[in-house]
Amino acid sequence: MKKGLEGPPPADRPTPAGRRNKQGIRIDPEVEATHEPRRTVISALVTHEPGVLSDVSGLFSRRQFNIESLTVGPTEDEDHARITIVVEEPDPGIDQIEKQLRKLVPVISVRELEPDAMRRELALIKVDASRPDQVAAVAEMYGGKTVDSSPETATIEVTGARQKIEAAIDTFSQFGVREISRTGTTALARGTDRTAASSTAQPADEANYEDQYTHTANDD
Amino acid sequence: MSERAAKVTPADDEQDDDQITDSAAPDAVTEDDAAGDDAESPAEPVTTGAESVVRALENAGVEYAFGVQGGAIMPVYDALYDSDIRHVTMAHEQGAAHAADAYGIVSGEPGVCLATSGPGATNLVTGIADADMDSDPMVALTGQVPTEFVGNDAFQETDTTGVTTPVTKDNTFASDSDRVGSDVSEAFALAREGRPGPTLVDLPKDVTNGETDREPDAPTVPDTYQVQERADSEIVDAAAERIENCARPVMLLGGGVIKGEASEACREFAIEHEIPVITTMPGIGAFPEDHELSLEMAGMHGTGYANMAVTHCDTLIGIGTRFDDRLTGGIETFAPDAEVIHVDIDPAEISKNIHADYPLVGDAETVVEQLSEAVDSSPEAKKWRAQCQQWKSDYSMAYDAPEDKPVQPEFVVEALDEATSDRAIVTTGVGQHQMWACQYWTYTEPRTWVSSHGLGAMGYGLPSAIGARLAADDDQEVVCIDGDGSFLMTLQGLSVAVREELDITVAVLNNEYIGMVRQWQDAFFDGRHSASDYGWMPEFDKLAEAFGACGFRIDDYDDVAETIDDAIAYDGPSVIDVHIDPDANVYPMVPSGGDNGQFALTEDQL
């Protein structure tokens, strides 16, 4: 009669010296790279059809990608829409996001934007109007504009890079902020560089600058 | 058009055969027909959306469709009534999806399943998700309430495209009777192009009932879907250099090898360069397991030698695999010394779970041929091969089968293998029996192993045997190795097998447990058998008889060989209720997230 499974038990077996990190990358002690999350902007050109936004947002949620903001709007071509996504992930995750997005059939092209890309967000900030002149002064400081006022409130529209909006909100908070509504970031590449027409992937490392947002916070 | 599919086309239907072969150019069909001497009259022009849907299926070469009738899909069924497509009415939609899935695995062409809206569509979801996880080509067509009711929670309404978005390669809500046929054609093209997968078209009743004279377009994928066939030649050269100079190479063949028809190219490459070969579970059959270089399957219940080899290799050539956690165990300890060459047609699989040092995006067969041309000399790995052979003898697969104990499941799997030809097709449910079927059946040919890998859907066995039977050649036996729990989930499919007179042998390895759960409960939950004890199982042989199938029962070793022979010889569906040792467990085993090289050979080693 046959004998059951035999062989040296686990403790008696040789084990390799190497290890991989959580991203499946082999760890070489001499050039060990850690992958900290970084924030970046991904722009996707998609066919303008029902369900495409749900395809994209569903992809992000089921794959547990950490999404910061997502905006969508029409483009110069009425059959196309542009989706701008701000994400915070380690580089392998950003790479994976781009690849997964490209797999969606309605997605035409995807790229990560350069750090110098133009990024804009719009915020509506409703504050108490007890000190209208000071509110106006702060609004002017951020290039904002008062779009509504009542005896008790003033609503200011501010556009700019995310950091500028944050700074504006911070400054307005001295008057008492009642409500805020923000659009999330939309972005375009600079100059003649096409934002999402090219299907060539951008190497993740190229845009891997730290503090990219602080560098471009006052680029308007 | 696969050779197999062409073969089963009735000989007196040559004209239809032309239509099928010429599916890329439907306009040419009528010309061909007209050119024939005694050709049948050209196909009637379509008059409704539903007819256009069926025409699209015909143009794509569909022979079988698996489904269940219902309110919202009725127009399509009405159009099918006049078609040569053979509709196989299933007893449950889950079975329809699994049957279509298995048909796709065995034939290589997308299997088709149909269901009505609401519950019909949701019952398909398990099978669709299964096809998605395993990248099986499949087209699902679902009825939908009329467009004007959509969104109103109408009777039998479900947001089917919403529900299936995460589990389909692509899906479409058909909104236009003039477009609907082309939607189906496109779904077909997408299902098989590049990395295969399930696609779905949701068909509102007014769209399929609506008038149209539009013939469907040829099955083509949208412009935005682009597949890279050839890998970057610089990386191919670098990978080739790595292979030439490494000392401990291993080829890891995944399901993509079989789907990409790359088995032959991989065999030639491995044998020419004498590289040991491991498969994943979906890759079983890509390489002959009786070959000296084969180390069989790696992973949680893979062989000890495969797991030793994958752990200690210095170069891992992974082809068509997504590095699922059941294969890798803990990422940190997976092939930790290996430089990874990863061939995959889906760029998103590269470095998703395991970082690829040499990413080769492209069609598996093409890229292996590229590699083959680029590799000038074989690696000097004699010592490594000897080591692998040593592991093969150190950790050989074996089991105890004492006469005084109930029948051991491994013995039954081996007996079934022995009683059938090399080309026999095995389908399984999910659980212990599935692992024994992996471990103790010797697979030598691609497309002979049909199982639910990624999703692990219990109940897969019987319906997949139905789909496999219809896709298989007549001389290929189809054996379903099932578990009692798995079989119970979809055994209503026996009615289908009986009605269709399908020659299928089902061997139910009956231990009156959800066995894999019981095994884990013994190992990790102090033996507390919470809800895994199935002591209330019916007598499957008698149940089979009630359905009109042939029932057998095995209680001890003396019955095994003869009963199996009788069951296989029976020309129709037969069920063997095999009462196995309820305490039998599956080993080796790598605990979830563990180190592949630290596989346990017994429960004590967990």
Side-chain angles (χ1 to χ4, degrees), chain B residues 15-35:
Chain B
Q15 218 51 56
D16 286 346
D17 202 4
D18 281 349
Q19 285 190 11
I20 292 162
T21 321
D22 214 351
S23 60
D27 288 343
V29 168
T30 24
E31 288 167 25
D32 281 1
D33 279 356

Side-chain angles (χ1 to χ4, degrees), chain A residues 151-174:
Chain A
E152 284 150 37
T153 65
T155 301
I156 300 96
E157 170 197 313
V158 184
T159 60
R162 181 175 162 276
Q163 180 124 354
K164 176 177 153 188
I165 306 276
E166 309 256 287
I169 291 169
D170 214 30
T171 317
F172 276 117
S173 64
Q174 61 179 302

Side-chain angles (χ1 to χ4, degrees), chain B residues 507-585:
Chain B
V508 183
L509 304 186
N510 185 352
N511 58 6
E512 299 194 350
Y513 277 114
I514 293 289
M516 191 60 94
V517 169
R518 199 265 301 131
Q519 178 171 341
W520 282 47
Q521 286 171 333
D522 285 339
F524 308 116
F525 292 90
D526 297 327
R528 289 150 54 89
H529 294 169
S530 181
S532 62
D533 188 337
Y534 274 34
W536 36 271
M537 277 292 147
E539 293 181 67
F540 290 117
D541 50 332
K542 290 185 182 165
L543 201 57
E545 299 283 353
F547 275 107
C550 194
F552 298 90
R553 179 179 170 118
I554 291 178
D555 281 301
D556 52 56
Y557 287 108
D558 297 340
D559 303 339
V560 175
E562 196 181 333
T563 308
I564 285 176
D565 283 344
D566 289 348
I568 286 175
Y570 179 74
D571 188 18
S574 58
V575 176
I576 319 173
D577 191 358
V578 191
H579 288 258
I580 60 162
D581 181 356
D583 298 324
N585 279 341

Side-chain angles (χ1 to χ4, degrees), chain B residues 105-293:
Chain B
I105 293 171
V106 174
S107 72
E109 293 292 310
V112 177
C113 56
L114 295 104
T116 194
S117 62
T122 55
N123 279 348
L124 283 183
V125 172
T126 301
I128 295 172
D130 186 280
D132 192 53
M133 288 290 269
D134 293 346
S135 308
D136 297 328
M138 185 206 274
V139 176
L141 304 177
T142 48
Q144 184 53 279
V145 300
T147 312
E148 61 173 319
F149 294 134
V150 169
N152 293 350
D153 302 325
F155 176 67
Q156 291 196 329
E157 183 190 353
T158 297
D159 172 13
T160 303
T161 54
V163 167
T164 57
T165 292
V167 294
T168 46
K169 185 171 169 184
D170 190 50
N171 66 25
T172 308
F173 180 89
S175 54
D176 183 349
S177 303
D178 287 339
R179 266 289 310 168
V180 65
S182 299
D183 287 340
V184 173
S185 294
E186 187 179 290
F188 247 92
L190 273 169
R192 63 182 159 200
E193 189 85 354
R195 178 181 185 167
T199 56
L200 180 144
V201 186
D202 201 26
L203 304 164
K205 199 169 183 179
D206 57 321
V207 171
T208 47
N209 262 335
E211 285 183 17
T212 183
D213 55 4
R214 282 278 296 275
E215 296 287 333
D217 295 332
T220 45
V221 298
D223 294 344
T224 56
Y225 186 81
Q226 289 162 357
V227 180
Q228 186 178 329
E229 295 286 327
R230 287 179 71 80
D232 183 311
S233 59
E234 274 180 38
I235 309 177
V236 169
D237 290 343
E241 200 185 326
R242 173 69 195 174
I243 293 169
E244 289 165 6
N245 296 309
C246 71
R248 306 193 304 276
V250 152
M251 284 175 80
L252 174 70
L253 308 185
V257 171
I258 294 168
K259 289 171 217 310
E261 300 289 354
S263 304
E264 202 48 53
C266 288
R267 286 170 188 217
E268 284 171 16
F269 188 82
I271 291 167
E272 184 183 344
H273 299 293
E274 297 186 273
I275 300 173
V277 179
I278 289 164
T279 71
T280 67
M281 186 161 82
I284 285 177
F287 194 82
E289 292 186 331
D290 52 4
H291 194 280
E292 190 187 8
L293 287 169

Side-chain angles (χ1 to χ4, degrees), chain A residues 41-92:
Chain A
V41 180
I42 290 170
S43 186
L45 195 64
V46 302
T47 52
H48 203 171
E49 62 183 36
V52 62
L53 181 60
S54 134
D55 284 355
V56 169
S57 59
L59 171 73
F60 274 73
S61 77
R62 76 175 175 273
R63 293 203 178 264
Q64 297 283 293
F65 295 136
N66 193 4
I67 190 166
E68 199 111 315
S69 79
L70 187 154
T71 64
V72 58
T75 66
E76 71 283 1
D77 182 336
E78 63 177 21
D79 294 333
H80 296 168
R82 184 182 311 285
I83 299 182
T84 307
I85 309 150
V86 181
V87 292
E88 192 168 350
E89 285 283 335
D91 276 328

Side-chain angles (χ1 to χ4, degrees), chain B residues 319-344:
Chain B
I319 305 169
T321 172
R322 63 193 168 87
F323 294 107
D324 176 89
D325 63 277
R326 280 295 188 273
L327 166 74
T328 61
I331 295 293
E332 292 88 346
T333 50
F334 180 74
D337 286 345
E339 293 209 0
V340 175
I341 298 165
H342 190 181
V343 179
D344 208 294

